[in-house]
Amino acid sequence: MPEDDGKPTAALLATDDDDDDGERTVETSAPEEAPQRPSDNRTRRLTAWRGARRTLTGFRPPETIGERLRRLAAEAPGAYDLDDWTDFYGNDDGIVGELERRTADALGAEAAAFFPTGTMAQQVALRCWAGRTGNATVAGHPLSHLEMHERDAYAVVSGLRMIHPTTAPRLPTAEEIYALQEPFGTLTLELPLRDAGYVLPTWEELTSAVTAARDRDAVVHFDGARLWECGPHFGRPLPEIAGLADSVYVSFYKTLGGIAGAALAGSEGFIEEARAWRHRYGGQQFQQWPAALAALAGLDRELPRLPQYVAHAKLVARALREGLAEAGVPWFRVHPEEPHTHQFQLWLPYPPEALTDAATNQSEETRTTLFHAWRTPTPAGPPGMAMTELTIASPALDWTTDEIRTAVADFVQRIGT
């Protein structure tokens, strides 16, 4: 791991904890006699993470631009022929076309279209379905990405409206979908539901919900930004999961470690229409080969590892519970208790500033990063609670249960000191 030389401040500020929706973390507060800007606190936290020898959560420490370019070049030869031309407005016979074909194959879809952002892909999908069904009402969850992190784009940009089958912190049941009092054109399901704790329904619950939507004469769209890691929970291959929906959006950087970008998958006719709307929404970019190349490398590198990550997340969650209990923490919650994917939440009864500061101190002094930033959840939980999200990936695989418990004890001792 490269040592921090103090130079990459701008690059560090461009990196966060799998945070695709702007700055969500609550940064540490400095003493009144030496105030710091939030950016200074964030730089300190990320610098500490970068300098750690071991890290439990996340894929890799922050990188400079040069380091990311060198890593892309190192991974690239196995992902795509570098003697081919750069893409030209996402031409089908180049690297973007190859990524679209590989994505469609991985999901068992007829076709896929590359998008620069997931927000754009979602809006295009919902707009296309509204036109095809003749119904601008979307049934979705109030904790979904569409509601929480896209600034009401479905309404402001696309003129759609949302109704909620449930407000419970889980995906809606078939009974709740049948009980909706008005017709809707599209049911959208986020798999997993990130803001509820990366939770998933059972396979039977998912298929029943899809059947209920069909019975209500609606189509089904999966917000599958993190669909890649859902297979172990459902015990089904990706094509079978994705095949339940009429359209699926997937991300190339949340799970696969790419630079940016997303894809929308579905039937040939639907994707052709989506390409037209992609152009209208400003997504027909001149060259996208760096993002496409990183996505192809991520498909090769990360997709086969995800079952191992999901299995290890269960071990990590159990070790955290044991370590916090042994440390005498008055109340805590690992949610879900047994993670559904390789990501989950941890709740503790302390101010987020104190927990973030303890995590940063631990990184700086022991060169071990156990947690990243903590925050007050949105929507807020009980007063006095803070939450952090953990992503269990390759850096965590060599952590044993005993090592996690020991690191947790050290972390707890640092809270408020």
Side-chain angles (χ1 to χ4, degrees), residues 377-394:
T378 304
M385 300 299 300
M387 186 269 286
T388 192
E389 296 174 317
L390 286 90
T391 298
I392 305 306
S394 54

Side-chain angles (χ1 to χ4, degrees), residues 133 135 183-187 210-220:
T133 64
N135 190 323
F184 55 95
T186 305
L187 171 69
V210 170
T211 298
R214 305 263 193 254
D215 289 346
R216 294 292 304 265
D217 296 322
V219 297
V220 178

Side-chain angles (χ1 to χ4, degrees), residues 36-315:
Q36 288 182 303
R37 296 172 300 169
S39 60
D40 294 330
N41 294 317
R42 186 166 185 256
T43 299
R44 179 192 166 212
R45 173 170 59 86
L46 294 175
T47 300
W49 177 18
R50 175 186 171 85
R53 294 190 180 96
R54 300 190 75 188
T55 183
L56 183 66
T57 182
F59 284 91
R60 56 178 47 84
E63 296 172 300
T64 66
I65 294 172
E67 287 166 349
R68 185 64 180 96
L69 287 172
R70 286 190 291 273
R71 182 161 66 86
L72 182 60
E75 296 170 345
Y80 192 75
D81 181 7
L82 300 187
D83 290 328
D84 196 3
W85 303 105
T86 58
D87 65 296
F88 181 78
Y89 290 114
N91 52 296
D92 182 65
D93 57 348
I95 187 170
V96 174
E98 176 66 13
L99 175 60
E100 291 173 338
R101 286 186 289 274
R102 282 200 55 188
T103 301
D105 289 344
L107 298 175
E110 291 182 3
F114 181 84
F115 281 78
T117 72
T119 296
M120 184 185 295
Q122 299 249 81
Q123 300 314 308
V124 165
L126 296 181
R127 184 156 193 159
C128 288
W129 288 127
R132 287 173 173 233
T133 64
N135 190 323
T137 300
V138 178
H141 200 284
L143 291 179
S144 69
H145 196 279
L146 286 160
E147 290 276 53
M148 298 288 290
H149 307 300
E150 297 183 14
R151 297 197 177 190
D152 300 322
Y154 68 85
V156 177
V157 177
S158 301
L160 309 179
R161 59 187 290 266
M162 183 83 72
I163 57 174
H164 303 138
T166 183
T167 59
R170 54 163 173 73
L171 273 298
T173 65
E175 291 75 16
E176 290 164 338
I177 294 168
Y178 282 123
L180 281 169
Q181 293 180 325
E182 55 187 304
F184 55 95
T186 305
L187 171 69
T188 178
L189 299 173
E190 183 179 338
L191 302 174
L193 187 56
R194 183 253 181 103
D195 280 283
Y198 301 96
V199 296
L200 289 165
T202 65
W203 179 252
E204 291 74 19
E205 289 168 340
L206 178 61
T207 55
S208 295
V210 170
T211 298
R214 305 263 193 254
D215 289 346
R216 294 292 304 265
D217 296 322
V219 297
V220 178
H221 169 72
F222 283 171
D223 174 346
R226 298 172 175 86
L227 188 74
W228 307 114
E229 63 261 32
C230 293
H233 176 81
F234 290 129
R236 300 292 196 282
L238 278 173
E240 187 174 355
I241 300 170
L244 292 176
D246 298 282
S247 61
V248 179
Y249 141 62
V250 290
S251 171
F252 291 124
Y253 74 91
K254 289 184 175 71
T255 299
L256 302 182
I259 292 174
L264 192 60
S267 68
E268 289 277 4
F270 178 80
I271 294 303
E272 278 302 302
E273 182 181 359
R275 292 178 193 276
W277 281 106
R278 178 183 64 185
H279 197 168
R280 295 184 181 112
Y281 274 68
Q284 192 78 355
Q285 298 183 4
F286 175 56
Q287 287 189 349
Q288 302 171 101
W289 61 266
L293 189 58
L296 286 168
L299 284 169
D300 290 338
R301 181 187 64 252
E302 298 298 333
L303 201 54
R305 299 177 180 176
L306 287 172
Q308 188 179 11
Y309 295 168
V310 174
H312 198 63
K314 301 180 191 304
L315 180 149

Side-chain angles (χ1 to χ4, degrees), residues 318-332:
R318 183 174 66 252
L320 289 173
R321 292 196 303 272
E322 293 170 353
L324 290 166
E326 292 166 1
V329 175
W331 186 95
F332 61 84

Side-chain angles (χ1 to χ4, degrees), residues 12-28 37-43 45-46 148-149 151 194 356 372-376 378 389:
L12 287 170
L13 291 176
T15 308
D16 208 349
D17 311 335
D18 190 29
D19 183 5
D20 52 308
D21 312 299
E23 186 63 62
R24 293 182 46 169
T25 57
V26 177
E27 300 297 344
T28 58
R37 296 172 300 169
S39 60
D40 294 330
N41 294 317
R42 186 166 185 256
T43 299
R45 173 170 59 86
L46 294 175
M148 298 288 290
H149 307 300
R151 297 197 177 190
R194 183 253 181 103
T356 299
H372 296 156
W374 294 73
R375 61 184 173 90
T376 300
T378 304
E389 296 174 317

